[in-house]
Amino acid sequence: MKNIKKYKKIALLACMIALNGFTVSCSSDYLETDPTTAVSEDAAYSSASNLAAIISGMHRNMYYRQNSNQGQNGQGGIMIMMDALGEDLVFPSTGNGWYVSTVRWQDQVNENASNDLYPYQFYYALIRNANLVIKNGPNVPTVNSSEETVVKQAIGEAYAFRAFCHYMLVQIYGKRYVPATNNTQLGVPIRLTPDEVPMKRNTVEEVYTQINNDLAEALSRLSSTRTSKSHFNDKVVLGLRARVALTQGNYALAASSAKLARNGFSLMSNATYTSGFNNLEGNGEWMWGATIIADQTDYFGNFGAYMSRNYNSTNIRQAPKAMNSKLFAMFPSTDVRTKVVDPTGAHTSLSLPSTFSKFPYTSQKFLSASVSDSRLDVPYMRAAEMYLIEAEALARSNDEINSKIVFNQFMQNRNPSYAGAVTTGNAYITEILNNRRIEFWGEGFRFLDLKRLNQGLDRTGANHSAVVVNNVLTVSNTDNRWQYLIPRTEINANPLIEQNPL
């Protein structure tokens, strides 16, 4: 992260550069999130180091709040939204209100809602900046092979950003990808140039085709070398390819990509698992994430200000995050993932102040730096995901034997008493999926998994408060609310865009 600090002014220029095209072409300057006039556009692309600084700034924007809403803190905020929509992240009280409208499935049905706009704004701003790097990067002057490598890396990361952001957008605002069909349903506009001319929505199939093309471009430019785990390298891009292939039902590619991606990343020990998920660089399992350095903290806007158990914020004192009690009951006490959840809510090991509300099944998976420091490392990708993608993809390819080799290796790390998978067929796939649920609790996967699997929402019989969820306990898999509405600001700026049905 040191490049972010050193070149902060140059890195943040990317948004300012893009604003020039936005305001002229379609007045969609609502997407402008972090303007600065600190340096000129020419300076931004005058050297390899400045180009790298723009990429570092984009990675910084993955965790940095770019507007006045403290609940919209980059990728971490969207991760919370994606899990708040599901059944496994439980809000035991409304607290001071953050993300409660998301829990109640109210954001995505209101085209004027701030949380309906935010993912659209966030990802397209990153895409715009990626397009600027892709356009201008080849013309950056270099004087030696080292600088050529820096430019190649920056452009490769820009392609990875563009793929990742289109992937998130099409999952949130488009209809689900249906394997073995033409997928002509509406996705999102594919933006490949930094100009912001009005565009129609591309089909879901077209968006995924572009995502895969960009991942291939990124792989052709990236190696295993990177400045920190906050950046993309070839293994992270392979991990993204595994995610995308699983979503598309391309199980052979999902399995092979996941296996390649996790090479060199070992599963963490049980002791590390219970230490607070706060050591990106030191944890051998973490493939990609964010470390928030002290002088760039967002205090009450950090991921840890909502998801940790120990930070002294109103939200955590009043509404600590809990695990679905039915999910918790599926796993034995020998499984390390149950040890970060307290069925009593007391968390005696943390010596929480008396002002902290106590609710059953609250989690201490995430621990902030201290009671007065909300920083914690934000996990975007871990090797555990690659194990579970590979196991699921092999199982769906009717290769249970090899699937169980991978799955048992993973499970025996998380639960030393696990004797091996004895389920078969659909029951075995369900076992894998339930392990995805508990493994990635709080990491932003659940809504997207439910949509990918064409499953409905079912919060019944667990520890959800009917008051908190506003009686939204079930949602059919055919409900229109699985697609966020296109934000009204985009519709006003882009006359070619078509709205999702209510």
Side-chain angles (χ1 to χ4, degrees):
M1 304 300 283
K2 60 183 179 181
N3 287 339
I4 295 175
K5 182 177 179 182
K6 182 177 180 181
Y7 297 112
K8 180 178 177 182
K9 289 185 178 179
I10 293 175
L12 296 183
L13 172 68
C15 291
M16 182 275 289
I17 294 170
L19 180 59
N20 295 335
F22 255 105
T23 55
V24 172
S25 63
C26 62
S27 300
S28 52
D29 53 304
Y30 68 91
L31 287 179
E32 171 53 37
T33 57
D34 206 354
T36 178
T37 55
V39 296
S40 69
E41 179 175 353
D42 289 341
Y45 302 108
S46 64
S47 69
S49 61
N50 286 358
L51 188 70
I54 293 174
I55 293 295
S56 290
M58 292 171 69
H59 285 290
R60 177 179 182 270
N61 286 344
M62 287 284 284
Y63 67 79
Y64 183 73
R65 176 165 41 121
Q66 300 153 352
N67 54 38
S68 59
N69 190 338
Q70 73 178 44
Q72 295 172 349
N73 51 327
Q75 179 66 15
I78 295 171
M79 287 162 56
I80 297 172
M81 294 176 193
M82 294 299 98
D83 272 352
L85 287 163
E87 76 276 42
D88 293 335
L89 177 61
V90 175
F91 285 50
S93 81
T94 57
N96 56 347
W98 294 111
Y99 302 107
V100 172
S101 61
T102 312
V103 172
R104 293 173 173 174
W105 282 58
Q106 295 170 342
D107 293 341
Q108 70 267 48
V109 298
N110 180 358
E111 62 184 18
N112 294 302
S114 176
N115 282 346
D116 181 65
L117 167 64
Y118 184 66
Y120 203 90
Q121 175 190 51
F122 175 71
Y123 291 119
Y124 273 119
L126 285 170
I127 288 171
R128 182 185 57 204
N129 294 341
N131 285 333
L132 285 162
V133 173
I134 291 168
K135 175 186 177 181
N136 293 290
N139 299 320
V140 170
T142 58
V143 297
N144 53 46
S145 60
S146 177
E147 290 190 352
E148 290 173 359
T149 299
V150 170
V151 170
K152 183 179 180 181
Q153 171 79 21
I155 297 173
E157 291 203 61
Y159 277 108
F161 261 120
R162 197 166 73 179
F164 170 71
C165 293
H166 277 119
Y167 178 54
M168 292 300 296
L169 284 163
V170 74
Q171 290 180 102
I172 295 170
Y173 295 95
K175 288 194 173 182
R176 65 180 287 267
Y177 190 96
V178 183
T181 69
N182 292 329
N183 286 290
T184 56
Q185 63 272 30
L186 288 178
V188 293
I190 299 172
R191 294 281 181 186
L192 303 181
T193 56
D195 61 271
E196 296 299 331
V197 297
M199 292 183 65
K200 294 181 179 180
R201 294 169 67 180
N202 290 86
T203 68
V204 168
E205 190 68 51
E206 289 169 339
V207 178
Y208 275 86
T209 297
Q210 185 59 51
I211 291 166
N212 283 305
N213 288 342
D214 282 348
L215 291 174
E217 288 289 341
L219 277 174
S220 73
R221 289 168 169 83
L222 297 176
S223 67
S224 60
T225 303
R226 53 179 167 173
T227 56
S228 73
K229 285 186 179 181
S230 67
H231 284 253
F232 294 107
N233 67 358
D234 58 347
K235 296 299 193 297
V236 176
V237 174
L238 285 165
L240 292 177
R241 191 172 72 178
R243 286 182 184 177
V244 173
L246 187 70
T247 304
Q248 292 186 276
N250 187 346
Y251 299 124
L253 183 62
S256 63
S257 298
K259 184 174 183 178
L260 289 170
R262 66 179 171 86
N263 183 37
F265 295 93
S266 57
L267 292 170
M268 70 181 89
S269 68
N270 283 196
T272 302
Y273 199 98
T274 58
S275 64
F277 273 64
N278 204 356
N279 189 2
L280 167 64
E281 296 295 343
N283 189 325
E285 180 177 311
W286 285 36
M287 300 172 61
W288 180 37
T291 296
I292 305 170
I293 60 178
D295 67 352
Q296 293 179 15
T297 185
D298 196 20
Y299 305 100
F300 294 106
N302 288 332
F303 181 77
Y306 305 95
M307 292 301 295
S308 74
R309 187 63 188 97
N310 58 323
Y311 180 59
N312 189 19
S313 66
T314 302
N315 189 262
I316 288 173
R317 288 195 307 271
Q318 296 180 356
K321 305 309 178 287
M323 180 179 286
N324 182 315
S325 56
K326 287 170 63 176
L327 176 63
F328 179 85
M330 294 178 188
F331 295 86
S333 60
T334 51
D335 193 306
V336 69
R337 296 166 299 186
T338 67
K339 298 183 186 304
V340 297
V341 177
D342 189 341
T344 72
H347 298 276
T348 54
S349 64
L350 299 180
S351 300
L352 298 176
S354 60
T355 54
F356 280 53
S357 298
K358 311 298 194 303
F359 296 95
Y361 300 102
T362 47
S363 173
Q364 62 181 63
K365 175 179 178 177
F366 300 110
L367 297 177
S368 66
S370 73
V371 70
S372 59
D373 186 346
S374 65
R375 291 178 301 125
L376 64 83
D377 293 353
V378 186
Y380 301 150
M381 183 183 292
R382 297 189 285 114
E385 180 189 356
M386 299 302 112
Y387 276 88
L388 291 174
I389 287 177
E390 186 178 356
E392 181 184 345
L394 288 171
R396 293 187 186 277
S397 302
N398 298 314
D399 187 359
E400 255 186 33
I401 292 175
N402 284 307
S403 172
K404 286 182 176 179
I405 291 173
V406 176
F407 184 65
N408 289 343
Q409 183 180 354
F410 169 78
M411 285 299 298
Q412 285 160 1
N413 172 277
R414 296 309 193 235
N415 177 11
S417 299
Y418 188 78
V422 294
T423 52
T424 59
N426 288 334
Y428 171 57
I429 292 174
T430 298
E431 184 178 2
I432 297 171
L433 295 175
N434 284 338
N435 273 277
R436 275 186 67 93
R437 291 171 62 185
I438 195 169
E439 180 68 33
F440 302 117
W441 178 94
E443 297 183 47
F445 286 92
R446 191 56 186 156
F447 175 79
L448 303 179
D449 273 350
L450 287 170
K451 188 169 180 175
R452 167 176 74 89
L453 297 165
N454 200 25
Q455 296 178 352
L457 176 73
D458 184 2
R459 293 168 168 167
T460 60
N463 51 328
H464 289 277
S465 162
V467 172
V468 174
V469 303
N470 198 31
N471 290 313
V472 180
L473 293 170
T474 61
V475 177
S476 167
N477 64 326
T478 60
D479 196 290
N480 285 332
R481 287 174 291 177
W482 289 99
Q483 290 72 241
Y484 273 49
L485 290 180
I486 302 298
R488 170 49 53 180
T489 44
E490 169 68 2
I491 294 173
N492 291 341
N494 181 359
L496 300 181
I497 203 79
E498 183 178 338
Q499 181 60 282
N500 284 322
L502 288 169

